[in-house]
Structure formats: C-alpha cells, structure tokens
Amino acid sequence: MDSATDPNTIKEDPVSVTVSAPPSKGIQQGVGESPSSSTSPAAPSRYESQKRRDWNTFLQYLKNHKPPLTLARCSGAHVIEFLKYLDQFGKTKVHMTGCPYFGHPNPPGPCSCPLKQAWGSLDALIGRLRAAYEESGGRPESNPFAARAVRIYLREVREGQARARGIPYEKKKRKRPCVTTSAVGINVSAVAATQAVDYGGVSGGTAGNLGTATTTT
C-alpha cells in the first residue's frame, strides 16, 4: 500500500474566496449582463492538504500524550511511538511468524494476524511531517522526523513486512538519458565553417556545403 492509497487519507473540499472586480471605466453594465469576472486563489493541492492534516494530528497527539509533550521536547523516540500508535488504524494484514500464511503474498484464507499501517504509508507520512516541521519554524538539525532512530525503524518495518507478506520492495532503476545526435551535427557545421574561413573567407551560409561543392571549367 503506498501513500496514494493511505487509508487515513481524508479528502478536504477546497476553500476559495471570490473577489468581484470593479467594472471598467467608461463602460456601463446593462440589464441582463453578467457581472464582472471574479478571481479566486488556487486551492491547496492534495499533498498540502494532507500535510496540514497530518501536522494537526501529530500536534493533537502530543497534547494528549501522558504526560503532555511540547514540540520543542519531541524526539525521534516520540515519533516512533506515534507511528506505533497509528498501527491500530491500519488496514494492511501483516502475518506473524507462527502464522501458516507467513511469507505468502496471496493467502487463501483469513487469519488472526493484526492489521497495521503499511510501510509505504508510514514513509510518506514521515516525509510530510518532516517538511511541515521545518515550515513551522523548526530547525533542520533538530528535526525529530529526520532522526536516525526513525530511519532505522522505518527500514525495520519495511523489511519485516516484506518477509511477512512475501512482497519484496525493490528500488526502481533510473533510466540513463539518451544522447541525441543534434549536438554532433552542430559541431560538424562549426568545424566546416572554421575550415571555410581558413580557405578564403567563405561565408557561414556556404560553409555547410563546402564538402559537396564541385568545380566547373
């Protein structure tokens, strides 16, 4: 399950503000004519909306923590506690070691193994919270969502779920950029133009035809 299918994702209706523009000078608006065009600010993207919701959820978690925590005292350990707390709302079946379906990508029947948050959802969540922390004025060097302990925890979750569900996580190979031959043609023309100048000051327009020119007697 990736971030695009995160079960905790809640869509928000975009909020727009309509501002009526005054009519142009010297033009009267007649009866039955539509009012002047209105403009509205761009609605926040789905990523920005989800990031704001995730950030508010984490702040509420700190507020309800026992004892209550402030953002300044939050550490990587508290972030891991938050990720484990979210497992109760997960919808991804993660088989236990003793389950007969352990390592089976498509189990033929139900089992009593718990539901958890998928690794992809947690990884995307941490990325959004890391960005929201710095956008809220936090310093990058003290960002608890970028702590080494959080990275290790996410790696362990990824490897554990891969073994339990029998679904390997493989990195996509980057495609090498294709080299075009247009630059080569330009270089050949430039060389031909240079040679033309050396052999009698031939203009650049005829330099390209230097190799195919014939001499008549």
Side-chain angles (χ1 to χ4, degrees):
M1 183 182 298
D2 53 13
S3 58
T5 58
D6 189 350
N8 294 327
T9 301
I10 301 177
K11 295 183 179 179
E12 291 184 344
D13 296 331
V15 179
S16 60
V17 179
T18 303
V19 180
S20 298
S24 302
K25 185 178 180 180
I27 301 178
Q28 296 181 353
Q29 182 177 341
V31 179
E33 294 179 354
S34 60
S36 57
S37 60
S38 60
T39 58
S40 59
S45 64
R46 181 180 179 182
Y47 171 80
E48 293 296 333
S49 299
Q50 186 63 43
K51 181 173 61 176
R52 182 171 64 250
R53 293 185 65 86
D54 294 338
W55 182 246
N56 292 334
T57 300
F58 181 75
L59 294 180
Q60 187 65 32
Y61 172 80
L62 295 182
K63 183 179 179 180
N64 297 335
H65 193 275
K66 295 180 181 180
L69 290 171
T70 61
L71 188 61
R73 298 181 59 185
C74 179
S75 65
H78 298 120
V79 174
I80 295 176
E81 290 180 3
F82 175 66
L83 297 180
K84 293 180 179 180
Y85 160 79
L86 294 178
D87 275 338
Q88 61 183 312
F89 308 107
K91 295 183 179 181
T92 299
K93 177 74 70 173
V94 180
H95 302 290
M96 306 298 291
T97 306
C99 178
Y101 302 143
F102 182 85
H104 199 297
N106 298 309
C111 63
S112 59
C113 293
L115 297 175
K116 295 185 178 182
Q117 293 285 348
W119 164 79
S121 299
L122 296 179
D123 185 63
L125 171 66
I126 289 300
R128 293 190 296 267
L129 292 176
R130 183 171 61 244
Y133 176 85
E134 297 181 7
E135 291 174 0
S136 301
R139 295 180 300 176
E141 59 271 16
S142 61
N143 194 329
F145 303 100
R148 183 173 180 269
V150 176
R151 295 196 302 269
I152 294 176
Y153 175 78
L154 288 177
R155 184 171 66 245
E156 292 176 349
V157 170
R158 181 189 64 184
E159 295 174 353
Q161 291 189 5
R163 291 191 300 268
R165 303 178 63 202
I167 302 175
Y169 293 98
E170 298 179 356
K171 293 183 178 180
K172 296 182 179 179
K173 296 182 179 180
R174 295 182 178 180
K175 296 182 178 179
R176 295 182 179 180
C178 298
V179 180
T180 58
T181 58
S182 58
V184 177
I186 295 174
N187 293 335
V188 171
S189 299
V191 173
T194 304
Q195 293 176 350
V197 172
D198 293 338
Y199 286 98
V202 182
S203 61
T206 59
N209 299 325
L210 184 62
T212 58
T214 59
T215 304
T216 59
T217 58

